[in-house]
mmCIF file of all heavy atoms in Angstrom:
data_model
loop_
_atom_site.group_PDB
_atom_site.id
_atom_site.type_symbol
_atom_site.label_atom_id
_atom_site.label_comp_id
_atom_site.label_asym_id
_atom_site.label_seq_id
_atom_site.Cartn_x
_atom_site.Cartn_y
_atom_site.Cartn_z
ATOM 1 N N LEU A 197 -14.743 -9.216 -5.673
ATOM 2 C CA LEU A 197 -14.175 -8.268 -6.631
ATOM 3 C C LEU A 197 -15.288 -7.555 -7.406
ATOM 4 O O LEU A 197 -15.239 -6.334 -7.604
ATOM 5 C CB LEU A 197 -13.235 -8.991 -7.601
ATOM 6 C CG LEU A 197 -11.938 -9.548 -6.998
ATOM 7 C CD1 LEU A 197 -11.209 -10.414 -8.020
ATOM 8 C CD2 LEU A 197 -11.027 -8.418 -6.526
ATOM 9 N N GLY A 198 -16.281 -8.318 -7.849
ATOM 10 C CA GLY A 198 -17.394 -7.716 -8.571
ATOM 11 C C GLY A 198 -18.195 -6.754 -7.718
ATOM 12 O O GLY A 198 -18.607 -5.682 -8.182
ATOM 13 N N ARG A 199 -18.407 -7.114 -6.457
ATOM 14 C CA ARG A 199 -19.153 -6.231 -5.542
ATOM 15 C C ARG A 199 -18.379 -4.942 -5.308
ATOM 16 O O ARG A 199 -18.975 -3.847 -5.259
ATOM 17 C CB ARG A 199 -19.359 -6.960 -4.226
ATOM 18 C CG ARG A 199 -20.001 -6.108 -3.134
ATOM 19 C CD ARG A 199 -21.499 -6.247 -3.148
ATOM 20 N NE ARG A 199 -22.041 -5.787 -1.890
ATOM 21 C CZ ARG A 199 -22.716 -4.640 -1.729
ATOM 22 N NH1 ARG A 199 -22.908 -3.834 -2.762
ATOM 23 N NH2 ARG A 199 -23.196 -4.307 -0.559
ATOM 24 N N SER A 200 -17.058 -5.020 -5.176
ATOM 25 C CA SER A 200 -16.243 -3.822 -4.996
ATOM 26 C C SER A 200 -16.366 -2.907 -6.206
ATOM 27 O O SER A 200 -16.484 -1.676 -6.068
ATOM 28 C CB SER A 200 -14.778 -4.197 -4.769
ATOM 29 O OG SER A 200 -13.985 -3.050 -4.552
ATOM 30 N N LEU A 201 -16.354 -3.484 -7.396
ATOM 31 C CA LEU A 201 -16.498 -2.686 -8.613
ATOM 32 C C LEU A 201 -17.858 -1.999 -8.658
ATOM 33 O O LEU A 201 -17.967 -0.844 -9.097
ATOM 34 C CB LEU A 201 -16.308 -3.566 -9.848
ATOM 35 C CG LEU A 201 -14.889 -4.092 -10.101
ATOM 36 C CD1 LEU A 201 -14.894 -5.085 -11.258
ATOM 37 C CD2 LEU A 201 -13.931 -2.948 -10.387
ATOM 38 N N ARG A 202 -18.902 -2.677 -8.193
ATOM 39 C CA ARG A 202 -20.240 -2.072 -8.207
ATOM 40 C C ARG A 202 -20.330 -0.930 -7.199
ATOM 41 O O ARG A 202 -20.950 0.104 -7.485
ATOM 42 C CB ARG A 202 -21.302 -3.142 -7.919
ATOM 43 C CG ARG A 202 -21.505 -4.121 -9.079
ATOM 44 C CD ARG A 202 -22.757 -4.948 -8.884
ATOM 45 N NE ARG A 202 -22.649 -5.832 -7.722
ATOM 46 C CZ ARG A 202 -22.113 -7.036 -7.752
ATOM 47 N NH1 ARG A 202 -21.607 -7.519 -8.891
ATOM 48 N NH2 ARG A 202 -22.071 -7.783 -6.673
ATOM 49 N N ILE A 203 -19.727 -1.099 -6.018
ATOM 50 C CA ILE A 203 -19.723 -0.012 -5.036
ATOM 51 C C ILE A 203 -18.945 1.177 -5.583
ATOM 52 O O ILE A 203 -19.371 2.330 -5.456
ATOM 53 C CB ILE A 203 -19.127 -0.486 -3.695
ATOM 54 C CG1 ILE A 203 -19.983 -1.591 -3.088
ATOM 55 C CG2 ILE A 203 -19.009 0.685 -2.720
ATOM 56 C CD1 ILE A 203 -19.397 -2.192 -1.822
ATOM 57 N N PHE A 204 -17.797 0.902 -6.213
ATOM 58 C CA PHE A 204 -17.032 1.986 -6.840
ATOM 59 C C PHE A 204 -17.880 2.697 -7.890
ATOM 60 O O PHE A 204 -17.835 3.931 -8.012
ATOM 61 C CB PHE A 204 -15.762 1.426 -7.474
ATOM 62 C CG PHE A 204 -14.998 2.459 -8.266
ATOM 63 C CD1 PHE A 204 -14.112 3.315 -7.641
ATOM 64 C CD2 PHE A 204 -15.190 2.577 -9.642
ATOM 65 C CE1 PHE A 204 -13.416 4.287 -8.367
ATOM 66 C CE2 PHE A 204 -14.507 3.541 -10.381
ATOM 67 C CZ PHE A 204 -13.614 4.395 -9.732
ATOM 68 N N GLY A 205 -18.638 1.935 -8.666
ATOM 69 C CA GLY A 205 -19.480 2.536 -9.693
ATOM 70 C C GLY A 205 -20.523 3.470 -9.118
ATOM 71 O O GLY A 205 -20.941 4.430 -9.798
ATOM 72 N N ARG A 206 -20.959 3.225 -7.883
ATOM 73 C CA ARG A 206 -21.933 4.116 -7.253
ATOM 74 C C ARG A 206 -21.261 5.290 -6.533
ATOM 75 O O ARG A 206 -21.896 6.320 -6.311
ATOM 76 C CB ARG A 206 -22.799 3.315 -6.273
ATOM 77 C CG ARG A 206 -23.818 2.419 -6.966
ATOM 78 C CD ARG A 206 -24.791 1.828 -5.981
ATOM 79 N NE ARG A 206 -24.220 0.731 -5.230
ATOM 80 C CZ ARG A 206 -24.247 -0.543 -5.628
ATOM 81 N NH1 ARG A 206 -24.800 -0.851 -6.793
ATOM 82 N NH2 ARG A 206 -23.736 -1.497 -4.888
ATOM 83 N N LEU A 207 -19.999 5.109 -6.154
ATOM 84 C CA LEU A 207 -19.276 6.167 -5.423
ATOM 85 C C LEU A 207 -17.914 6.425 -6.070
ATOM 86 O O LEU A 207 -16.882 6.393 -5.395
ATOM 87 C CB LEU A 207 -19.073 5.755 -3.958
ATOM 88 C CG LEU A 207 -20.318 5.428 -3.136
ATOM 89 C CD1 LEU A 207 -19.923 4.789 -1.814
ATOM 90 C CD2 LEU A 207 -21.149 6.682 -2.891
ATOM 91 N N PRO A 208 -17.865 6.702 -7.369
ATOM 92 C CA PRO A 208 -16.570 6.762 -8.049
ATOM 93 C C PRO A 208 -15.683 7.915 -7.592
ATOM 94 O O PRO A 208 -14.513 7.724 -7.253
ATOM 95 C CB PRO A 208 -16.950 6.902 -9.527
ATOM 96 C CG PRO A 208 -18.320 7.495 -9.515
ATOM 97 C CD PRO A 208 -18.989 6.947 -8.297
ATOM 98 N N GLY A 209 -16.231 9.134 -7.589
ATOM 99 C CA GLY A 209 -15.416 10.289 -7.232
ATOM 100 C C GLY A 209 -14.947 10.235 -5.786
ATOM 101 O O GLY A 209 -13.787 10.536 -5.480
ATOM 102 N N ILE A 210 -15.844 9.854 -4.877
ATOM 103 C CA ILE A 210 -15.486 9.784 -3.455
ATOM 104 C C ILE A 210 -14.423 8.718 -3.233
ATOM 105 O O ILE A 210 -13.444 8.936 -2.512
ATOM 106 C CB ILE A 210 -16.731 9.467 -2.605
ATOM 107 C CG1 ILE A 210 -17.786 10.547 -2.798
ATOM 108 C CG2 ILE A 210 -16.363 9.333 -1.144
ATOM 109 C CD1 ILE A 210 -19.088 10.257 -2.086
ATOM 110 N N THR A 211 -14.597 7.563 -3.832
ATOM 111 C CA THR A 211 -13.631 6.474 -3.631
ATOM 112 C C THR A 211 -12.263 6.851 -4.175
ATOM 113 O O THR A 211 -11.240 6.585 -3.544
ATOM 114 C CB THR A 211 -14.142 5.189 -4.312
ATOM 115 O OG1 THR A 211 -15.446 4.876 -3.821
ATOM 116 C CG2 THR A 211 -13.204 4.029 -4.009
ATOM 117 N N LEU A 212 -12.231 7.476 -5.357
ATOM 118 C CA LEU A 212 -10.945 7.924 -5.906
ATOM 119 C C LEU A 212 -10.276 8.933 -4.980
ATOM 120 O O LEU A 212 -9.062 8.871 -4.746
ATOM 121 C CB LEU A 212 -11.154 8.535 -7.295
ATOM 122 C CG LEU A 212 -11.352 7.555 -8.446
ATOM 123 C CD1 LEU A 212 -11.779 8.290 -9.703
ATOM 124 C CD2 LEU A 212 -10.066 6.756 -8.708
ATOM 125 N N ALA A 213 -11.059 9.872 -4.425
ATOM 126 C CA ALA A 213 -10.488 10.864 -3.516
ATOM 127 C C ALA A 213 -9.971 10.215 -2.244
ATOM 128 O O ALA A 213 -8.910 10.599 -1.727
ATOM 129 C CB ALA A 213 -11.541 11.926 -3.185
ATOM 130 N N VAL A 214 -10.689 9.218 -1.741
ATOM 131 C CA VAL A 214 -10.272 8.516 -0.523
ATOM 132 C C VAL A 214 -8.901 7.878 -0.705
ATOM 133 O O VAL A 214 -8.078 7.865 0.219
ATOM 134 C CB VAL A 214 -11.330 7.454 -0.140
ATOM 135 C CG1 VAL A 214 -10.745 6.401 0.792
ATOM 136 C CG2 VAL A 214 -12.517 8.128 0.520
ATOM 137 N N VAL A 215 -8.634 7.358 -1.901
ATOM 138 C CA VAL A 215 -7.346 6.713 -2.173
ATOM 139 C C VAL A 215 -6.282 7.736 -2.569
ATOM 140 O O VAL A 215 -5.132 7.659 -2.126
ATOM 141 C CB VAL A 215 -7.496 5.639 -3.267
ATOM 142 C CG1 VAL A 215 -6.144 5.009 -3.600
ATOM 143 C CG2 VAL A 215 -8.488 4.564 -2.827
ATOM 144 N N LEU A 216 -6.660 8.702 -3.394
ATOM 145 C CA LEU A 216 -5.693 9.642 -3.952
ATOM 146 C C LEU A 216 -5.104 10.587 -2.911
ATOM 147 O O LEU A 216 -3.879 10.722 -2.807
ATOM 148 C CB LEU A 216 -6.340 10.454 -5.072
ATOM 149 C CG LEU A 216 -5.521 11.623 -5.634
ATOM 150 C CD1 LEU A 216 -4.243 11.126 -6.292
ATOM 151 C CD2 LEU A 216 -6.345 12.446 -6.606
ATOM 152 N N VAL A 217 -5.947 11.261 -2.158
ATOM 153 C CA VAL A 217 -5.477 12.344 -1.287
ATOM 154 C C VAL A 217 -4.463 11.857 -0.246
ATOM 155 O O VAL A 217 -3.387 12.454 -0.105
ATOM 156 C CB VAL A 217 -6.665 13.071 -0.632
ATOM 157 C CG1 VAL A 217 -6.175 14.108 0.375
ATOM 158 C CG2 VAL A 217 -7.523 13.736 -1.706
ATOM 159 N N PRO A 218 -4.731 10.776 0.513
ATOM 160 C CA PRO A 218 -3.704 10.326 1.464
ATOM 161 C C PRO A 218 -2.403 9.901 0.793
ATOM 162 O O PRO A 218 -1.318 10.094 1.349
ATOM 163 C CB PRO A 218 -4.373 9.144 2.182
ATOM 164 C CG PRO A 218 -5.839 9.371 2.006
ATOM 165 C CD PRO A 218 -5.974 9.993 0.659
ATOM 166 N N ASN A 219 -2.507 9.331 -0.409
ATOM 167 C CA ASN A 219 -1.304 8.866 -1.093
ATOM 168 C C ASN A 219 -0.429 10.000 -1.617
ATOM 169 O O ASN A 219 0.734 9.769 -1.966
ATOM 170 C CB ASN A 219 -1.683 7.938 -2.252
ATOM 171 C CG ASN A 219 -1.776 6.487 -1.817
ATOM 172 O OD1 ASN A 219 -0.913 5.990 -1.103
ATOM 173 N ND2 ASN A 219 -2.825 5.809 -2.237
ATOM 174 N N LEU A 220 -0.962 11.211 -1.675
ATOM 175 C CA LEU A 220 -0.152 12.341 -2.127
ATOM 176 C C LEU A 220 1.040 12.575 -1.208
ATOM 177 O O LEU A 220 2.049 13.155 -1.632
ATOM 178 C CB LEU A 220 -1.010 13.614 -2.201
ATOM 179 C CG LEU A 220 -2.085 13.635 -3.290
ATOM 180 C CD1 LEU A 220 -2.916 14.900 -3.188
ATOM 181 C CD2 LEU A 220 -1.459 13.520 -4.672
ATOM 182 N N VAL A 221 0.939 12.119 0.050
ATOM 183 C CA VAL A 221 2.051 12.314 0.988
ATOM 184 C C VAL A 221 3.298 11.572 0.534
ATOM 185 O O VAL A 221 4.422 11.915 0.930
ATOM 186 C CB VAL A 221 1.627 11.866 2.403
ATOM 187 C CG1 VAL A 221 1.541 10.348 2.497
ATOM 188 C CG2 VAL A 221 2.590 12.405 3.464
ATOM 189 N N GLN A 222 3.119 10.559 -0.312
ATOM 190 C CA GLN A 222 4.263 9.771 -0.756
ATOM 191 C C GLN A 222 5.052 10.434 -1.888
ATOM 192 O O GLN A 222 6.201 10.067 -2.135
ATOM 193 C CB GLN A 222 3.782 8.388 -1.219
ATOM 194 C CG GLN A 222 3.127 7.573 -0.107
ATOM 195 C CD GLN A 222 2.881 6.146 -0.524
ATOM 196 O OE1 GLN A 222 3.815 5.418 -0.842
ATOM 197 N NE2 GLN A 222 1.631 5.744 -0.541
ATOM 198 N N LEU A 223 4.441 11.408 -2.568
ATOM 199 C CA LEU A 223 5.119 12.025 -3.707
ATOM 200 C C LEU A 223 6.413 12.736 -3.330
ATOM 201 O O LEU A 223 7.431 12.548 -3.999
ATOM 202 C CB LEU A 223 4.160 12.975 -4.436
ATOM 203 C CG LEU A 223 2.988 12.301 -5.160
ATOM 204 C CD1 LEU A 223 2.122 13.344 -5.846
ATOM 205 C CD2 LEU A 223 3.493 11.280 -6.173
ATOM 206 N N PRO A 224 6.434 13.582 -2.281
ATOM 207 C CA PRO A 224 7.714 14.219 -1.940
ATOM 208 C C PRO A 224 8.775 13.218 -1.489
ATOM 209 O O PRO A 224 9.964 13.408 -1.761
ATOM 210 C CB PRO A 224 7.349 15.195 -0.814
ATOM 211 C CG PRO A 224 6.038 14.743 -0.312
ATOM 212 C CD PRO A 224 5.332 14.111 -1.462
ATOM 213 N N ILE A 225 8.350 12.148 -0.813
ATOM 214 C CA ILE A 225 9.323 11.140 -0.387
ATOM 215 C C ILE A 225 9.868 10.394 -1.599
ATOM 216 O O ILE A 225 11.065 10.096 -1.680
ATOM 217 C CB ILE A 225 8.678 10.164 0.618
ATOM 218 C CG1 ILE A 225 8.196 10.926 1.847
ATOM 219 C CG2 ILE A 225 9.674 9.076 1.031
ATOM 220 C CD1 ILE A 225 7.434 10.083 2.829
ATOM 221 N N SER A 226 8.998 10.101 -2.568
ATOM 222 C CA SER A 226 9.457 9.464 -3.797
ATOM 223 C C SER A 226 10.439 10.356 -4.541
ATOM 224 O O SER A 226 11.416 9.873 -5.138
ATOM 225 C CB SER A 226 8.257 9.142 -4.698
ATOM 226 O OG SER A 226 7.390 8.227 -4.076
ATOM 227 N N PHE A 227 10.192 11.670 -4.504
ATOM 228 C CA PHE A 227 11.112 12.616 -5.140
ATOM 229 C C PHE A 227 12.493 12.525 -4.496
ATOM 230 O O PHE A 227 13.520 12.512 -5.192
ATOM 231 C CB PHE A 227 10.558 14.038 -5.004
ATOM 232 C CG PHE A 227 11.489 15.103 -5.528
ATOM 233 C CD1 PHE A 227 11.547 15.393 -6.886
ATOM 234 C CD2 PHE A 227 12.327 15.804 -4.660
ATOM 235 C CE1 PHE A 227 12.414 16.370 -7.368
ATOM 236 C CE2 PHE A 227 13.189 16.780 -5.140
ATOM 237 C CZ PHE A 227 13.237 17.062 -6.492
ATOM 238 N N VAL A 228 12.526 12.442 -3.174
ATOM 239 C CA VAL A 228 13.806 12.318 -2.464
ATOM 240 C C VAL A 228 14.507 11.020 -2.842
ATOM 241 O O VAL A 228 15.715 11.000 -3.118
ATOM 242 C CB VAL A 228 13.582 12.386 -0.944
ATOM 243 C CG1 VAL A 228 14.876 12.050 -0.193
ATOM 244 C CG2 VAL A 228 13.096 13.782 -0.543
ATOM 245 N N LEU A 229 13.753 9.922 -2.883
ATOM 246 C CA LEU A 229 14.351 8.630 -3.192
ATOM 247 C C LEU A 229 14.864 8.557 -4.628
ATOM 248 O O LEU A 229 15.811 7.827 -4.910
ATOM 249 C CB LEU A 229 13.333 7.513 -2.935
ATOM 250 C CG LEU A 229 12.994 7.262 -1.463
ATOM 251 C CD1 LEU A 229 11.837 6.299 -1.335
ATOM 252 C CD2 LEU A 229 14.216 6.735 -0.709
ATOM 253 N N ARG A 230 14.248 9.316 -5.528
ATOM 254 C CA ARG A 230 14.749 9.336 -6.906
ATOM 255 C C ARG A 230 16.101 10.043 -7.003
ATOM 256 O O ARG A 230 16.799 9.913 -8.017
ATOM 257 C CB ARG A 230 13.732 10.027 -7.826
ATOM 258 C CG ARG A 230 12.487 9.205 -8.079
ATOM 259 C CD ARG A 230 11.733 9.739 -9.283
ATOM 260 N NE ARG A 230 11.332 11.129 -9.113
ATOM 261 C CZ ARG A 230 10.193 11.513 -8.533
ATOM 262 N NH1 ARG A 230 9.360 10.611 -8.052
ATOM 263 N NH2 ARG A 230 9.889 12.799 -8.451
ATOM 264 N N HIS A 231 16.441 10.788 -5.970
ATOM 265 C CA HIS A 231 17.731 11.483 -5.934
ATOM 266 C C HIS A 231 18.654 10.822 -4.920
ATOM 267 O O HIS A 231 19.368 11.485 -4.169
ATOM 268 C CB HIS A 231 17.530 12.965 -5.610
ATOM 269 C CG HIS A 231 16.795 13.710 -6.687
ATOM 270 N ND1 HIS A 231 15.427 13.639 -6.837
ATOM 271 C CD2 HIS A 231 17.256 14.513 -7.697
ATOM 272 C CE1 HIS A 231 15.065 14.383 -7.880
ATOM 273 N NE2 HIS A 231 16.145 14.920 -8.418
ATOM 274 N N ALA A 232 18.625 9.486 -4.923
ATOM 275 C CA ALA A 232 19.467 8.738 -3.991
ATOM 276 C C ALA A 232 20.949 9.036 -4.202
ATOM 277 O O ALA A 232 21.738 9.011 -3.254
ATOM 278 C CB ALA A 232 19.202 7.230 -4.151
ATOM 279 N N GLU A 233 21.328 9.338 -5.444
ATOM 280 C CA GLU A 233 22.732 9.638 -5.714
ATOM 281 C C GLU A 233 23.193 10.868 -4.931
ATOM 282 O O GLU A 233 24.314 10.894 -4.409
ATOM 283 C CB GLU A 233 22.931 9.863 -7.207
ATOM 284 C CG GLU A 233 24.395 10.089 -7.596
ATOM 285 C CD GLU A 233 24.583 10.212 -9.087
ATOM 286 O OE1 GLU A 233 23.608 9.997 -9.827
ATOM 287 O OE2 GLU A 233 25.710 10.522 -9.519
ATOM 288 N N THR A 234 22.321 11.866 -4.828
ATOM 289 C CA THR A 234 22.654 13.065 -4.050
ATOM 290 C C THR A 234 22.786 12.735 -2.571
ATOM 291 O O THR A 234 23.689 13.236 -1.886
ATOM 292 C CB THR A 234 21.574 14.141 -4.254
ATOM 293 O OG1 THR A 234 21.471 14.445 -5.641
ATOM 294 C CG2 THR A 234 21.909 15.403 -3.480
ATOM 295 N N ILE A 235 21.892 11.884 -2.064
ATOM 296 C CA ILE A 235 21.958 11.480 -0.663
ATOM 297 C C ILE A 235 23.263 10.750 -0.391
ATOM 298 O O ILE A 235 23.952 11.008 0.605
ATOM 299 C CB ILE A 235 20.757 10.583 -0.304
ATOM 300 C CG1 ILE A 235 19.452 11.346 -0.490
ATOM 301 C CG2 ILE A 235 20.882 10.061 1.125
ATOM 302 C CD1 ILE A 235 18.210 10.514 -0.283
ATOM 303 N N VAL A 236 23.629 9.838 -1.277
ATOM 304 C CA VAL A 236 24.860 9.066 -1.100
ATOM 305 C C VAL A 236 26.084 9.966 -1.139
ATOM 306 O O VAL A 236 27.012 9.816 -0.344
ATOM 307 C CB VAL A 236 24.953 7.964 -2.185
ATOM 308 C CG1 VAL A 236 26.335 7.312 -2.172
ATOM 309 C CG2 VAL A 236 23.872 6.918 -1.963
#
Side-chain angles (χ1 to χ4, degrees):
L197 292 172
R199 174 92 162 107
S200 182
L201 291 173
R202 288 193 294 274
I203 297 175
F204 174 84
R206 286 189 283 272
L207 302 169
I210 300 175
T211 305
L212 282 170
V214 160
V215 177
L216 172 63
V217 175
N219 271 315
L220 292 176
V221 73
Q222 298 190 61
L223 292 180
I225 300 174
S226 297
F227 175 82
V228 172
L229 290 171
R230 288 197 301 272
H231 294 79
E233 184 176 353
T234 302
I235 298 175
V236 170

